Amino acid sequence: MVPVIFAEELADELGIILSHMQLPNPSGGRTNINIFQFGLPIEKTKEESKKKFPYVLITLQEGNITGERSDPQKVHIYLLIGVYDDGTDNQGKKHVLNIINDICERFLKDPVLKGRYYADKEIKWVVDDDEEYPYHYGAVWMTFNIPTFRRENRYA
């Protein structure tokens, strides 16, 4: 349950971090960045597929619990970033890098999230070098330390 709650609280934080950005969407306007957890919404129509852009998808990749009483659970996540920009100046990757920058800046300046989780110092990111105009992608990999279950019997 703790990893699920962590993902929800991270989604809330990303919404705050990225709330100042309005990016192009396939419908021709500008919109806030959608934050999704665990998977992108299933698209039943072509119009629905347009509604997800721009987005950040939170995926909990794996976790590690050592069993030591004082060690937190380490959760490795990646954030998949998807941006739509059909402008002829082809600036979609710039938008992706701005999103990456804002996320990195937030957690490097203050690694604590909601007073319960904290990010490790190392953050890895990438921008997709394939040309998929007008779609542009990137990703951020991070590790968070989150609470874990402990033995209830102090003599065990």
Side-chain angles (χ1 to χ4, degrees):
M1 186 69 167
V2 174
V4 172
I5 295 169
F6 160 71
E8 291 168 353
E9 292 184 341
L10 178 59
D12 292 342
E13 185 69 16
L14 290 174
I16 293 166
I17 295 166
L18 303 172
S19 65
H20 68 282
M21 290 188 179
Q22 291 263 315
L23 298 178
N25 65 24
S27 299
R30 295 181 79 77
T31 187
N32 291 331
I33 298 170
N34 296 303
I35 309 295
F36 300 112
Q37 304 165 44
F38 307 110
L40 293 173
I42 303 301
E43 305 153 357
K44 296 180 181 169
T45 66
K46 188 170 184 158
E47 193 59 37
E48 285 180 357
S49 70
K50 293 179 178 181
K51 291 181 181 177
K52 69 182 174 190
F53 286 94
Y55 67 82
V56 174
L57 169 63
I58 300 168
T59 304
L60 279 63
Q61 197 168 11
E62 65 181 11
N64 182 29
I65 302 171
T66 65
E68 297 296 322
R69 284 191 77 75
S70 61
D71 287 350
Q73 180 175 183
K74 291 216 175 256
V75 176
H76 305 280
I77 68 162
Y78 70 89
L79 306 172
L80 178 62
I81 300 161
V83 170
Y84 174 91
D85 189 345
D86 64 350
T88 56
D89 56 350
N90 200 12
Q91 296 297 299
K93 287 183 176 39
K94 178 180 166 184
H95 298 314
V96 170
L97 281 168
N98 283 330
I99 294 169
I100 290 169
N101 181 74
D102 285 1
I103 294 168
C104 292
E105 180 180 0
R106 158 56 178 96
F107 289 106
L108 290 171
K109 283 184 175 179
D110 179 10
V112 179
L113 173 64
K114 305 286 185 188
R116 291 184 289 277
Y117 321 105
Y118 64 94
D120 281 356
K121 294 177 195 175
E122 183 178 357
I123 299 175
K124 181 179 177 182
W125 60 266
V126 66
V127 174
D128 188 5
D129 61 352
D130 290 339
E131 191 57 51
E132 298 180 47
Y133 176 87
Y135 299 97
H136 310 274
Y137 298 96
V140 177
W141 287 267
M142 301 175 70
T143 299
F144 279 86
N145 298 273
I146 71 171
T148 190
F149 296 105
R150 302 285 176 224
R151 291 181 188 237
E152 292 182 8
N153 182 344
R154 62 185 163 140
Y155 300 108

